[in-house]
Amino acid sequence: MEAFHISLIIMIFVLLCAALFYMQKKFVSFSKRVMLALVVGIVYGLAIQFIYGQTSFIISESAEWINIVGNGFISLLRMLVIPLVFFAILSAFTKSKLANDFGKIGGLVIGMLAGTVAIAAAVGIFSAGLFGLEGMEITQGEAESVAIESHGQKLDDLNAMSVPEKVVSMLPMNIFYDLTEARSTSVISVVIFASILGMAFMGVKRKEPKQAEMFASIVEAIFTVVMRVVTLVLRLTPYGILALMTNKAATSDLVAFWNLGKFILASYFAIAVMFLIHLLLIRLVGLNPLTYIKKIMPVLVFAFSSRSSAGTLPINVSTQKKSLGVSEGIADISGAFGITIGQNGCAGIYPAMLAIMVAPTVGIDPFTPSFILMLLVTVVIGSFGIAGVGGGATFAGLIVLSTMNLPVAIVGLLISIEPLIDMARTALNVSGTMTTGVITSKITKQLDEEVYNSKEEKAVPEVI
């Protein structure tokens, strides 16, 4: 009988996928299909949990099969991150999109990302105080105990490194090793290596133009193929999101969400405030924030569903170029840098809130100016090298808490509600990256405002 119910759940999921495919054939817009997949996935998942119960064998077995689509989609997205980051940055140099302005543009992008993560941390501190989270006690259950134990090795590795050693770990040591994403700082190492290679190309271009032209042709050819792969993978987005949201809604511990409701509310409040700050920044440079919201919404839905800033990189960069009028070089740089530096939600708000919560447990008043200043500096420094993939917020929390000699067990204690908060945090991370691209492009006078103000939406390649 269990086999029948499992087959029924999977069959209904397949029919929902078929409906999405039919909508694609009828040229229903990409953003509408993604939004529908998000809503239907949540409703279907909650219905399954209501009927069978969160811990039932039927749900766990069905989830494994549905995960072939969901986790498979995430794996394909992660597959694209390193080649896309590497060739996007290199192509920006070979096409002379950055010319001699790389230092200025790179500095502006990094400055914006670091500045917004500092603001995000301040918002997190304010929200924790507003909701009275300091010293909040959290019950440790079986799942939490396992999570704390699993983070033990990460913590040991962090404690064994000084702050200067952590900075050095971001530099490329063996680029082939980093291309496999073997280290937690591999992505930023690849970004740095691609930038060094690009600057070397500019030197060769001045002295040996023929060799440089040949190299540029090779890079452009490979980048074109990589972007075609991006297009193919993005076509799977509605199906991947449907699977991810179905499983998340079916297997999430709703009781834990209810018990930790105050922390969830404080987190979402901080995320909403920071998003409004992004819109304010857009307005301060003379652009319409409502236009910005409308054009980035499909990207935010994608980020919310996938919980991966890195996985959202292709659609992020594409939207910046095609819908927001950001120049190609700046879109590539802000997108690539944004998945390893200054993630507003995961590396800003989250670790700041954790520090405020645990400080009273060791006799520290978290709202003294000296503590807040130290926390802000630690958060900004710790945000460099945080990979934009699942678990990035956990790693950021471990870095900040261990650097400030605060208890780290709270990272594991919040594991049961991580998925719910992480979805919104990821969307905020991506918004911060896109805000950085738009503002940098506007400041350097490279923003195509006609494209920005147009009503046409091109969030992903037209073939989708």
Side-chain angles (χ1 to χ4, degrees):
M1 194 65 178
E2 286 182 338
F4 169 76
H5 288 285
I6 293 169
S7 300
L8 180 62
I9 291 172
I10 296 171
M11 187 180 302
I12 293 174
F13 174 77
V14 171
L15 289 174
L16 292 174
C17 289
L20 289 172
F21 181 75
Y22 177 78
M23 292 172 68
Q24 179 181 339
K25 290 298 182 183
K26 291 296 182 179
F27 302 104
V28 176
S29 72
F30 177 81
S31 58
K32 288 180 181 178
R33 283 183 282 131
V34 169
M35 184 63 75
L36 182 64
L38 175 72
V39 174
V40 171
I42 292 173
V43 172
Y44 183 45
L46 289 176
I48 294 172
Q49 181 174 155
F50 178 76
I51 294 171
Y52 298 104
Q54 178 211 350
T55 59
S56 74
F57 172 78
I58 291 174
I59 284 186
S60 61
E61 193 68 18
S62 302
E64 284 195 31
W65 286 97
I66 294 175
N67 266 338
I68 294 175
V69 179
N71 290 344
F73 175 62
I74 293 297
S75 295
L76 291 174
L77 287 174
R78 294 191 65 173
M79 169 193 75
L80 294 171
V81 172
I82 292 294
L84 186 58
V85 166
F86 182 76
F87 286 105
I89 292 177
L90 201 52
S91 177
F93 283 96
T94 57
K95 286 184 176 179
S96 298
K97 297 171 191 171
L98 300 180
N100 296 319
D101 293 332
F102 176 75
K104 177 183 178 182
I105 290 172
L108 278 172
V109 168
I110 293 174
M112 278 286 300
L113 291 170
T116 54
V117 85
I119 296 172
V123 170
I125 293 169
F126 171 75
S127 181
L130 182 66
F131 283 81
L133 299 184
E134 65 272 20
M136 186 175 85
E137 293 186 6
I138 301 172
T139 304
Q140 180 173 329
E142 183 179 348
E144 288 74 19
S145 299
V146 172
I148 292 171
E149 184 178 346
S150 69
H151 294 318
Q153 184 59 48
K154 278 186 179 180
L155 182 60
D156 291 341
D157 293 341
L158 287 171
N159 287 336
M161 297 172 65
S162 64
V163 174
E165 286 174 331
K166 291 173 185 176
V167 174
V168 172
S169 70
M170 300 178 195
L171 299 175
M173 179 177 60
N174 181 336
I175 190 58
F176 298 102
Y177 186 66
D178 284 325
L179 286 171
T180 65
E181 283 191 89
R183 301 190 298 160
S184 59
T185 56
S186 285
V187 178
I188 195 169
S189 295
V190 171
V191 168
I192 293 171
F193 178 74
S195 301
I196 293 172
L197 201 58
M199 288 185 281
F201 164 80
M202 292 171 68
V204 172
K205 187 177 181 181
R206 288 192 296 270
K207 296 181 179 180
E208 299 182 54
K210 288 186 179 180
Q211 301 295 336
E213 184 178 349
M214 182 184 300
F215 179 79
S217 298
I218 294 172
V219 170
E220 188 55 32
I222 296 175
F223 186 51
T224 301
V225 174
V226 169
M227 289 307 297
R228 180 58 185 172
V229 175
V230 167
T231 299
L232 295 176
V233 172
L234 286 181
R235 287 178 175 178
L236 303 175
T237 299
Y239 313 103
I241 287 179
L242 175 65
L244 290 168
M245 298 314 299
T246 297
N247 274 347
K248 192 57 61 183
T251 60
S252 294
D253 186 351
L254 301 181
V255 175
F257 291 164
W258 179 262
N259 292 339
L260 291 171
K262 188 162 72 167
F263 181 77
I264 295 172
L265 286 174
S267 298
Y268 269 81
F269 173 79
I271 290 167
V273 169
M274 192 60 208
F275 183 67
L276 290 174
I277 290 174
H278 289 168
L279 299 183
L280 177 61
L281 293 173
I282 292 290
R283 184 60 192 153
L284 288 175
V285 295
L287 298 172
N288 188 337
L290 295 180
T291 300
Y292 175 77
I293 294 175
K294 181 181 178 182
K295 293 194 172 184
I296 71 167
M297 191 53 67
V299 190
L300 297 187
V301 170
F302 183 98
F304 184 88
S305 307
S306 67
R307 293 177 56 202
S308 172
S309 302
T312 311
L313 180 60
I315 191 172
N316 176 343
V317 173
S318 177
T319 299
Q320 287 193 55
K321 295 176 182 178
K322 298 177 182 295
S323 291
L324 296 174
V326 176
S327 69
E328 289 196 27
I330 293 176
D332 292 334
I333 293 297
S334 65
F337 281 17
I339 61 172
T340 58
I341 300 172
Q343 295 182 36
N344 291 185
C346 292
I349 289 174
Y350 185 63
M353 290 181 69
L354 295 186
I356 295 298
M357 290 172 67
V358 301
T361 65
V362 291
I364 298 174
D365 181 354
F367 297 106
T368 58
S370 58
F371 180 85
I372 291 176
L373 180 60
M374 181 183 294
L375 177 56
L376 292 177
V377 172
T378 304
V379 166
V380 172
I381 295 174
S383 72
F384 283 74
I386 300 299
V389 294
T394 296
F395 190 60
L398 287 172
I399 286 178
V400 171
L401 295 178
S402 63
T403 301
M404 298 187 69
N405 296 316
L406 295 172
V408 299
I410 192 171
V411 174
L413 292 175
L414 293 170
I415 196 69
S416 58
I417 59 170
E418 265 294 285
L420 180 64
I421 302 173
D422 198 42
M423 292 187 290
R425 285 195 309 241
T426 304
L428 183 67
N429 294 342
V430 173
S431 175
T433 300
M434 301 180 79
T435 300
T436 295
V438 170
I439 293 177
T440 301
S441 219
K442 176 70 174 179
I443 291 173
T444 57
K445 299 181 180 179
Q446 296 186 44
L447 183 72
D448 189 335
E449 295 195 37
E450 185 176 339
V451 172
Y452 181 93
N453 292 316
S454 69
K455 295 182 179 180
E456 188 176 3
E457 295 182 54
K458 296 180 180 179
V460 289
E462 290 82 350
V463 291
I464 299 177

